[in-house]
């Protein structure tokens, strides 16, 4: 999560007041230096990878409770050290710190490559990561891949904290978060994370304000005096009527749906997720893919929904995004449009310029500059950028004056419409603008959008290969199993290949992307068949067809590519546009589709993403083994999209509401949360079948003892240990009893069968990893 520097202590918000303008100014300089140094970087091979975040919990069966285990830093140190013993393997893991003291992030040690067989590596590597993290847990610890602890913020939810009060609980209202629900000790001890938390609160002038609509059940006490009906009916019909009546009566009060409130960054940044990063062939391809993935992000957010519980309550949404967005929203009341405000010259825009979104939100501008359209290379932004996008005018002016195209200048200036949040005391003028990018990354890394465009980082050593231009896909929720996480990852990867190979585009107005993000938050959006805005025609038009025919012609599987989409050409300036003309396709409309229609097609004009994936696999001649597994992944996604299988959020909600201790009051008690997390752990580790979530697919047991290779050690064994071991396998108590008959051992069929099953599972776990090398 962002830059973890060793440049002294972070400055407080007040101490950094006179340094923020320097960081912003030199951040632009560093971007310009980087851009002109690497703008022609070309990477013919696709490289990509995923990021998975894990939360570590303590199961307290005696008190029937589940708690955060704040040992993340110790586990990270142990995992990183143990990883050194596996450097002889090309498959491995890299471990990173995350915001929460109970969290760990893991990525593949090496990126996946542009070969179809690497699609099979994803699940294997995810299983490897799970095995290795399980191998360092204490007996009472678990690490299910879930978004968050359901009872975070409920009294007694944290463990392994150093500071406790007289009730043996970590103290609230700490100096960093000042929260009435969470103690400071659950924040990662690295100084950056505490500084982020404190400075967001200082800039805002108060604690962050996170509110989610409460799920309404039969006995939910918050609705005792509330009008009947669901939330959509209330918001669209009842609320305006009731508020109008209050005005007529001279009371003029606002009536709101009951909410779950949270007040600290940890509620949002403590959420785990799944992210995927792609290296583009060149700068133009990375910018084009940024736009396409931005349109896809709300659909994948809804499809991967896994967050129905916050602060011990069922909520009336299914995803985490709004929680994180509010948890880092540092806007002042003036920037929110709530008041005029008093200008503060130490803040960007004097702290009063209107900012329309949180730092953590959907994108506000497309990025691609269509060089093929010589008459109007800004066609994409002119056509589809239909929402407010605040920029720092001075930064934009400098970028344009230095030759940056208008689309990229707008994007960078938009990032710089925010203030730097963490500045280190020895990391200001000490940073070399020619070779380092710390000040640029200070702003870049704290604009958390659904997609992130990432310029090549500086080389650590001159001999290192140059990393290319990358795009990070950030909206997906983490799933319970590695099978599901791999399925979503592989699907997104293949969609990017489909778009490039078949010369497609997904452009719709950004206002509709924002509306899709809003709809993705709705409870059971997939199961209830909620519609989303989507492009009607993705393929370029046939140049020989008439205008009307181009718009209305059905998809026949023969996508027009002008003979270039499948040809491998050398990189040159604007090479993506040189080989593709999808960005020059005119705006031919969008319509509302269900996620099932987006995935499987609609009518004869839109083929669907999953059929296009299969068409692409046939085109490249994908091998049978990879095709078989990808088909299983696509089948899982198809069944989720049509509602045949529930999302993780729906499954969790059903688990809670059908629990014997649930009182139909929307409250998720610690004991219910414990049972839910244990079930998630067992499903993720393959020890509990869950056909209602996975259909016919099964997860092979994840065995932590197979996470690392066993060394053929020749160190001398003590005589006693040797005798014990040998006698165990010869059924003799002593080596000297050579003439005695072997003891009769009564057979136990169940025990023998169990041992044989364990042996088979161990073999199965080792065989896939061996076949990789």
């Amino acid at each position: 999560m962002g830059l973890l520097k060793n440049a002294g202590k972070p400055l407080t918000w007040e101490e950094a007041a006179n340094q923020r303008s320097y960081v912003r100014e030199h951040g632009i300089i560093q971007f310009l230096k980087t851009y002109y140094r690497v703008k022609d970087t070309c990477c013919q091979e696709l490289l990509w990878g995923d990021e998975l975040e894990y939360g570590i919990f303590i199961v307290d069966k005696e008190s029937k409770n589940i708690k955060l285990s704040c040992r993340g830093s110790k586990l990270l140190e142990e995992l990183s050290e143990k990883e050194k013993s596996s450097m002889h393997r090309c498959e491995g893991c890299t471990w990173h710190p995350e915001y929460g003291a109970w969290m760990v992030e893991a990525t593949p040690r090496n990126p996946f490559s542009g070969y179809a067989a690497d699609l099979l590596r994803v699940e294997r590597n995810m299983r490897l990561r799970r095995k290795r993290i399980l191998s360092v847990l204490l007996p009472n610890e678990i690490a299910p891949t879930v978004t968050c602890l359901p009872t975070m913020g409920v009294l007694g939810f944290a463990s392994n904290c150093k500071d406790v009060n007289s009730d043996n609980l970590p103290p609230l209202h700490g100096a960093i978060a000042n929260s009435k629900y969470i103690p400071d000790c659950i924040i990662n001890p690295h100084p950056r994370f505490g500084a982020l938390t404190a400075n967001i609160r200082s800039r805002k002038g108060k604690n962050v304000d996170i509110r989610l609509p409460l799920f309404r059940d039969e006995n939910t006490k918050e609705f005792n005096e509330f009008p009947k009906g669901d939330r959509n009916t209330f918001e669209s019909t009842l609320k305006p009527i009731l508020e109008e009546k209050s005005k007529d009566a001279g009371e003029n009060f606002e009536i709101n749906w009951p909410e779950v409130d949270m007040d600290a960054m940890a509620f949002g940044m403590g959420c785990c997720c799944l992210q995927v990063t792609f290296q583009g062939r060149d700068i133009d391809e990375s910018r084009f893919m940024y736009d396409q993935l931005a349109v896809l992000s709300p659909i994948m957010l809804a499809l991967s929904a896994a967050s129905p519980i916050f602060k011990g309550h069922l909520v009336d949404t299914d995803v985490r995004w709004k929680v994180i967005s509010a948890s880092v929203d540092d806007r002042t009341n003036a920037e929110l449009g709530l008041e005029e405000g008093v200008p503060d010259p130490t803040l960007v825009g004097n702290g009063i310029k209107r900012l329309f979104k949180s730092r953590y939100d959907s994108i506000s501008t497309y990025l691609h500059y269509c060089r093929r359209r010589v008459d109007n290379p800004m066609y994409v932004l002119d056509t589809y950028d239909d929402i407010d996008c605040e920029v720092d005018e001075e930064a934009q002016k400098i970028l344009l004056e230095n030759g940056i195209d208008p689309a990229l200048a707008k994007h960078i200036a938009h990032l710089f419409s925010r203030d730097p949040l963490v500045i280190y005391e020895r990391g200001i003028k000490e940073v070399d603008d020619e070779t380092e990018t710390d000040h640029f990354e200070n702003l870049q890394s704290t604009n958390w959008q659904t997609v992130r465009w990432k310029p090549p980082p500086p080389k650590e050593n001159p001999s290192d290969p140059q990393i290319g231009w990358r795009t990070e896909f950030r909206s997906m929720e983490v799933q319970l199993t590695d099978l599901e996480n791999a399925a979503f990852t592989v699907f997104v990867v293949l969609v990017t290949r489909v778009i490039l190979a078949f010369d497609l585009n997904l452009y719709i107005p950004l206002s509709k992307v924002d509306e899709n993000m809003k709809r993705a938050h709705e409870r059971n959006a997939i199961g209830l068949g909620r519609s989303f805005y989507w492009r009607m025609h993705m393929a370029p038009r046939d140049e020989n067809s008439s205008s009307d025919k181009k718009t209305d012609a059905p998809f026949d599987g023969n996508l027009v590519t002008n003979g270039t989409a499948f040809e491998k050409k050398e990189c040159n300036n604007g090479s993506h546009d040189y080989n593709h003309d999808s960005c020059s396709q005119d705006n031919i409309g969008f319509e509302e589709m269900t996620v099932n229609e987006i995935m499987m097609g609609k009518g004869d004009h839109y083929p669907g993403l999953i059929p296009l994936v299969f068409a692409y696999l046939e085109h490249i001649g994908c091998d049978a083994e990879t095709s078989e597994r990808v088909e299983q992944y696509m089948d899982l996604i198809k069944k989720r999209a049509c509602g045949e299988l529930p999302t993780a959020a729906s499954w969790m909600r059903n688990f809670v509401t059908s629990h014997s201790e649930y009182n139909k009051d929307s409250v998720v008690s610690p004991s219910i949360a414990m049972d839910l997390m244990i079930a998630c752990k067992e499903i993720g580790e393959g020890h509990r079948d869950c056909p209602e979530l996975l259909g016919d697919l099964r997860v092979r047991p994840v065995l932590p003892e197979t996470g690392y290779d066993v060394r053929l050690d020749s160190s001398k064994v003590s005589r006693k240990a040797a005798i014990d071991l040998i006698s165990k396998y010869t059924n003799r108590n002593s080596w000297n009893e050579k003439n005695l008959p072997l003891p009769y051992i009564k057979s136990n069929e169940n025990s023998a069968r169990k041992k044989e099953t364990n042996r088979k599972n161990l073999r199965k776990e080792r065989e896939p990893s061996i076949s990789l090398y």
Side-chain angles (χ1 to χ4, degrees):
M1 176 186 169
L3 293 170
L4 299 182
K5 301 295 293 182
N6 184 21
K9 72 177 185 67
L11 301 178
T12 66
W13 188 249
E14 293 73 20
E15 290 170 342
N18 296 326
Q19 307 298 337
R20 286 192 282 272
S21 61
Y22 181 92
V23 171
R24 291 164 39 72
E25 176 187 346
H26 285 260
I28 294 295
I29 294 172
Q30 290 170 13
F31 171 76
L32 288 168
K33 297 286 187 181
T34 298
Y35 177 82
Y36 282 107
R37 184 172 64 249
V38 296
K39 67 183 179 67
D40 295 325
T41 295
C42 172
C43 305
Q44 289 287 359
E45 181 184 10
L46 167 67
L47 296 176
W48 56 283
D50 71 275
E51 301 173 26
L52 272 175
E53 295 162 351
Y54 303 83
I56 315 301
F57 308 141
I58 285 180
V59 176
D60 187 347
K61 292 187 177 180
E62 185 175 337
S63 64
K64 292 186 176 180
N65 200 357
I66 185 97
K67 304 178 182 181
L68 301 181
S69 178
C70 298
R71 296 198 316 120
S73 296
K74 291 182 179 179
L75 294 179
L76 181 68
E77 184 178 341
E78 185 175 353
L79 287 164
S80 298
E81 185 63 31
K82 291 185 73 172
E83 202 66 32
K84 296 176 183 178
S85 68
S86 298
M87 298 305 291
H88 61 288
R89 292 282 194 177
C90 62
E91 200 73 69
C93 317
T94 303
W95 305 93
H96 312 272
E98 257 300 333
Y99 178 87
W102 71 96
M103 300 171 70
V104 173
E105 178 186 284
T107 61
R109 185 197 303 146
N110 299 311
F112 303 126
S113 73
Y115 290 91
D118 273 32
L119 299 174
L120 298 181
R121 287 180 56 199
V122 180
E123 186 176 352
R124 291 172 183 168
N125 192 274
M126 288 178 174
R127 286 176 61 85
L128 181 65
R129 281 172 261 174
R130 191 184 293 264
K131 285 187 279 188
R132 290 185 175 177
I133 200 167
L134 291 178
S135 73
V136 297
L137 299 184
L138 298 175
N140 64 340
E141 289 179 329
I142 63 174
T145 43
V146 295
T147 307
C148 64
L149 181 73
T151 51
M152 182 165 164
V154 177
L155 190 65
F157 73 97
S159 185
N160 295 326
C161 286
K162 292 182 179 179
D163 299 324
V164 294
N165 58 24
S166 58
D167 297 322
N168 201 34
L169 294 172
L172 303 176
H173 297 287
I176 297 174
N178 188 35
S179 170
K180 57 185 176 182
Y181 301 121
I182 67 111
D184 286 349
C185 65
I186 71 167
I187 301 170
N188 188 306
H190 189 285
R192 170 181 164 82
F193 298 106
L196 264 177
T197 308
N199 289 346
I200 285 173
R201 188 165 56 83
S202 295
R203 190 190 190 283
K204 190 176 185 67
K206 57 185 177 182
N207 275 30
V208 294
D209 185 18
I210 310 165
R211 297 180 182 273
L212 290 182
L214 182 63
F215 173 71
R216 184 173 197 164
D217 212 338
E218 295 177 19
N219 302 325
T220 309
K221 63 181 182 180
E222 289 83 354
F223 292 93
N224 287 345
E225 305 295 329
F226 206 78
K228 293 183 178 180
D230 62 29
R231 185 163 59 94
N232 289 336
T233 302
F234 169 77
E235 295 289 349
S236 61
T237 307
L238 292 177
K239 179 180 170 71
I241 294 174
L242 293 171
E243 291 183 350
E244 188 62 33
K245 285 183 178 180
S246 75
K247 288 182 181 179
D248 295 341
E251 297 175 355
N252 197 27
F253 66 85
E254 184 179 5
I255 180 170
N256 292 310
W257 188 269
E259 296 170 317
V260 175
D261 74 293
M262 295 163 275
D263 67 350
M265 185 176 174
F267 284 106
M269 284 301 189
C271 291
C272 297
C273 68
L274 167 66
Q275 298 174 358
V276 189
T277 300
F278 309 88
Q279 178 174 272
R281 182 174 62 172
D282 55 33
I283 184 172
D284 291 323
E285 183 177 289
S286 69
R287 291 170 63 176
F288 179 74
M289 198 49 60
Y290 173 95
D291 293 356
Q292 310 315 304
L293 292 175
V295 179
L296 183 63
S297 58
I299 311 306
M300 298 308 297
L301 176 62
L303 198 56
S304 63
S307 309
I309 309 168
F310 283 93
K311 217 183 81 179
H313 288 80
L314 289 170
V315 293
D316 205 36
T317 65
D318 274 358
V319 299
R320 78 199 188 285
W321 195 268
K322 184 179 177 181
V323 177
I324 313 180
S325 179
S327 78
V328 295
D329 192 349
D330 65 345
R331 289 175 293 174
T332 65
N333 282 344
E335 291 167 336
L336 287 164
L338 301 177
E339 60 183 42
E340 289 188 7
V342 178
D344 181 346
T346 69
L347 302 182
V348 63
N350 290 321
I352 59 174
K353 182 178 178 180
R354 187 75 171 88
L355 298 175
F356 294 93
K357 293 182 179 181
S358 166
R359 303 176 79 112
Y360 200 116
D361 218 311
S362 54
I363 70 167
S364 294
T365 179
Y366 285 121
L367 183 52
H368 190 57
Y369 189 68
C370 190
R371 303 177 195 278
R372 179 180 285 268
R373 283 184 176 265
V374 179
D375 59 325
N376 181 20
M378 286 287 286
Y379 172 79
V380 167
L381 275 69
D382 290 348
T383 306
Y384 301 107
D385 270 19
D386 64 339
I387 61 174
D388 291 304
C389 176
E390 59 276 2
V391 298
D392 181 273
E393 289 85 357
E394 182 61 27
Q396 187 176 37
K397 179 174 178 288
I398 293 172
L399 292 162
L400 291 171
E401 289 175 348
N402 282 273
I404 302 300
D405 65 75
L408 182 53
K410 182 179 180 182
H411 170 80
I412 300 298
H414 173 61
L415 299 181
F416 278 70
S417 66
R418 311 287 173 163
D419 276 314
L421 290 174
V422 180
I423 300 175
Y424 293 90
E425 61 180 354
R426 297 198 303 273
I428 306 171
K429 295 182 180 180
E430 293 84 355
V431 178
D432 183 358
D433 292 342
E434 294 290 338
T435 60
E436 298 177 274
T437 59
D438 292 16
H439 296 327
F440 170 72
E441 288 296 337
N442 196 320
L443 277 300
Q444 160 92 337
S445 67
T446 54
N447 276 269
W448 301 277
Q449 297 173 334
T450 47
V451 284
R452 178 180 283 157
W453 182 69
K454 305 171 77 169
K459 292 183 180 182
E460 293 185 6
N461 298 298
S463 59
D464 290 345
Q466 179 63 64
I467 295 174
W469 300 89
R470 295 150 297 151
T471 305
E472 184 179 54
F473 188 66
R474 301 171 45 81
S475 68
M476 291 189 292
E477 310 239 297
V478 69
Q479 304 297 291
L480 300 189
T481 69
D482 300 317
L483 186 159
E484 297 165 279
N485 287 316
F488 282 116
T489 300
V490 168
F491 173 73
V492 174
V493 172
L494 288 174
V495 167
T496 67
R497 301 308 96 188
V498 163
I499 290 170
L500 294 172
F502 290 165
D503 210 10
L504 311 179
N505 86 66
L506 307 181
Y507 284 116
I508 60 174
L510 278 177
S511 62
K512 302 307 178 187
V513 176
D514 281 356
E515 176 61 26
N516 284 348
M517 284 295 291
K518 180 180 177 182
R519 295 181 181 187
H521 280 74
E522 294 180 13
R523 174 167 53 88
N524 198 22
I526 302 295
L528 296 178
R530 191 63 163 103
S531 61
F532 294 80
Y533 291 103
W534 196 253
R535 190 176 180 90
M536 295 167 59
H537 302 266
M538 299 190 302
R541 297 170 173 174
D542 186 339
E543 293 179 351
N544 297 320
S545 300
S546 66
S547 172
D548 292 338
K549 186 175 180 181
K550 290 171 189 174
T551 301
D552 299 326
F555 174 81
D556 61 3
N558 297 312
L559 297 173
V560 178
T561 63
N562 293 334
T564 62
F566 305 139
E567 297 176 14
K568 185 175 180 180
K569 297 192 176 184
E570 293 302 317
C571 286
N572 53 63
N573 288 334
S575 63
H576 174 270
D577 289 345
Y578 177 71
N579 285 326
H580 298 73
D581 64 355
S582 51
C583 74
S584 64
Q585 182 180 349
D586 290 337
N587 179 13
I588 54 177
F590 54 88
E591 61 179 303
E592 295 188 54
M593 301 184 194
T594 65
V595 173
N596 186 46
E597 289 170 333
I598 292 170
M599 292 296 151
M600 298 307 299
K602 182 177 181 180
D604 61 359
H605 63 282
Y606 173 71
L609 295 178
I610 289 179
L612 285 170
V613 164
F614 285 123
Y616 172 76
L617 293 176
E618 180 177 335
H619 162 70
I620 64 173
C622 183
D623 64 276
E625 182 183 3
T626 303
S627 293
E628 181 181 1
R629 192 55 169 170
V630 170
E631 185 174 354
Q632 293 172 341
Y633 292 157
M634 296 306 106
D635 188 59
L636 175 65
I637 292 173
K638 178 180 71 174
K639 289 178 178 178
R640 287 275 173 90
C642 72
E644 181 179 339
L645 294 176
T647 62
S650 293
W651 180 86
M652 289 180 184
R653 191 184 301 275
N654 183 64
F655 183 98
V656 170
T657 55
S658 60
H659 195 282
S660 60
E661 296 181 21
Y662 179 65
N663 296 319
K664 298 185 178 181
D665 56 359
S666 307
V667 174
V668 181
S669 67
S671 60
I672 295 175
M674 182 187 75
D675 290 344
L676 174 60
M677 292 297 98
I678 290 175
C680 292
K681 161 202 173 338
E682 292 172 348
I683 293 169
E685 294 175 17
H687 300 310
R688 173 174 175 162
D689 285 341
C690 193
E692 63 271 27
L693 184 67
L694 301 175
D696 297 332
L697 297 175
R698 296 291 181 270
V699 176
R700 286 186 294 109
V702 177
L703 306 174
E705 57 266 37
T706 65
Y708 297 94
D709 289 339
V710 177
R711 185 179 294 277
L712 295 174
D713 192 1
S714 59
S715 300
K716 185 175 180 180
V717 182
S718 71
R719 182 167 181 79
K720 183 180 184 307
I723 291 174
D724 290 344
L725 284 169
I726 295 172
S727 64
K728 175 181 177 181
Y729 287 96
T730 59
N731 294 314
R732 292 188 173 100
N733 294 322
S734 168
W735 289 0
N736 298 322
E737 297 175 348
K738 296 179 181 179
N739 299 320
L740 293 178
L742 290 175
Y744 172 72
I745 301 176
K746 186 177 181 180
S747 67
N748 185 322
E749 290 187 8
N750 290 333
S751 177
R753 190 180 299 114
K754 185 176 181 180
K755 289 181 179 178
E756 179 60 23
T757 300
N758 286 339
R759 280 194 291 269
K760 288 181 179 178
N761 285 336
L762 282 168
R763 284 199 298 271
K764 287 179 181 177
E765 278 300 282
R766 296 196 188 282
E767 285 165 7
S769 62
I770 292 171
S771 67
L772 286 173
Y773 311 115

